[in-house]
Amino acid sequence: MLQRFYPDAYVDSAYEIPYDELYEKGWRGVIFDIDNTLVPHGAPADGRSRALVKRLLKKGFHVMMLSNNKEPRVKMFCDAVGTAYIYKANKPFPESYQKAMKQMKTQPDNTLFVGDQLFTDVWGAKRAGMRTFLVKPIHPKEEIQIVIKRFFEKIVLYFYQKERGKTGWK
């Protein structure tokens, strides 16, 4: 039952994913969550996030941001990194993931999702048929509803790591 929430890979950071290797294997789209995935919650784009997006676009990836946050926050970040976005995405429902893939002209079998939360980011992407990367949150400061979810995520991750090992990398 808990397997529905398992990511395809669990890594320390969005910045350590082997995007070049994935591109060579045919992956063409990357959809990111923003807060605590690429930058701390509410933080503006930084040099590292801008450089990552620039590198992915140069490589040939289509890149989009998908956030449950309101437009002013998402627009500020995406204008700085130069990507399209969907705000108030209503994750974990799959419709926004599907809309993002349609805009990027990619499919579930060649699109990756990278996020920091199991019950919104990962579960929604899995429901949309995508390969998922769960990353560790960048910063411990989070809103109370996320803190509560993190407690339950720890339970799922315990069983995930028991079954698959530290990363579950396939």
Side-chain angles (χ1 to χ4, degrees), residues 8 30 35 79 105 111 113 121 145 170:
D8 294 305
V30 183
D35 288 320
D79 285 352
K105 296 180 175 60
T111 307
F113 185 86
D121 298 331
Q145 71 272 17
K170 289 184 180 180

Side-chain angles (χ1 to χ4, degrees), residues 100-162:
M101 287 184 282
K102 184 175 182 179
Q103 287 181 24
M104 294 189 307
K105 296 180 175 60
T106 62
Q107 301 296 319
D109 63 357
N110 68 358
T111 307
L112 311 165
F113 185 86
V114 181
D116 69 298
Q117 293 185 53
L118 283 178
F119 302 129
T120 52
D121 298 331
V122 169
W123 191 34
K126 288 178 71 80
R127 292 172 75 191
M130 301 169 62
R131 180 165 182 194
T132 59
F133 283 82
L134 177 68
V135 299
K136 294 178 181 173
I138 289 176
H139 195 275
K141 182 182 176 224
E142 298 182 298
E143 297 170 342
I144 188 64
Q145 71 272 17
I146 297 173
V147 172
I148 293 166
K149 283 193 274 184
R150 295 284 187 214
F151 172 78
F152 294 103
E153 284 184 353
K154 285 179 184 177
I155 295 167
V156 174
L157 288 172
Y158 169 81
F159 288 103
Y160 169 82
Q161 290 175 322
K162 190 174 177 181

Side-chain angles (χ1 to χ4, degrees), residues 14 17-18 21 24 38-39 57 64 78 101 118 158 161-162:
I17 295 170
E21 177 185 323
E24 298 307 318
L38 294 173
V39 292
L57 292 171
M64 274 193 82
C78 293
M101 287 184 282
L118 283 178
Y158 169 81
Q161 290 175 322
K162 190 174 177 181

Side-chain angles (χ1 to χ4, degrees), residues 56-111:
L56 294 176
L57 292 171
K58 185 176 181 183
K59 182 73 175 176
F61 278 106
H62 301 278
V63 179
M64 274 193 82
M65 303 295 155
L66 189 66
S67 175
N68 280 349
N69 220 316
K70 295 177 183 169
E71 187 172 26
R73 191 287 179 267
V74 179
K75 182 179 185 335
M76 171 190 70
F77 183 89
C78 293
D79 285 352
V81 298
T83 62
Y85 60 89
I86 295 173
Y87 67 97
K88 285 188 167 180
N90 206 21
K91 296 180 284 184
F93 296 101
E95 290 80 11
S96 291
Y97 298 85
Q98 294 161 344
K99 181 179 178 183
M101 287 184 282
K102 184 175 182 179
Q103 287 181 24
M104 294 189 307
K105 296 180 175 60
T106 62
Q107 301 296 319
D109 63 357
N110 68 358
T111 307

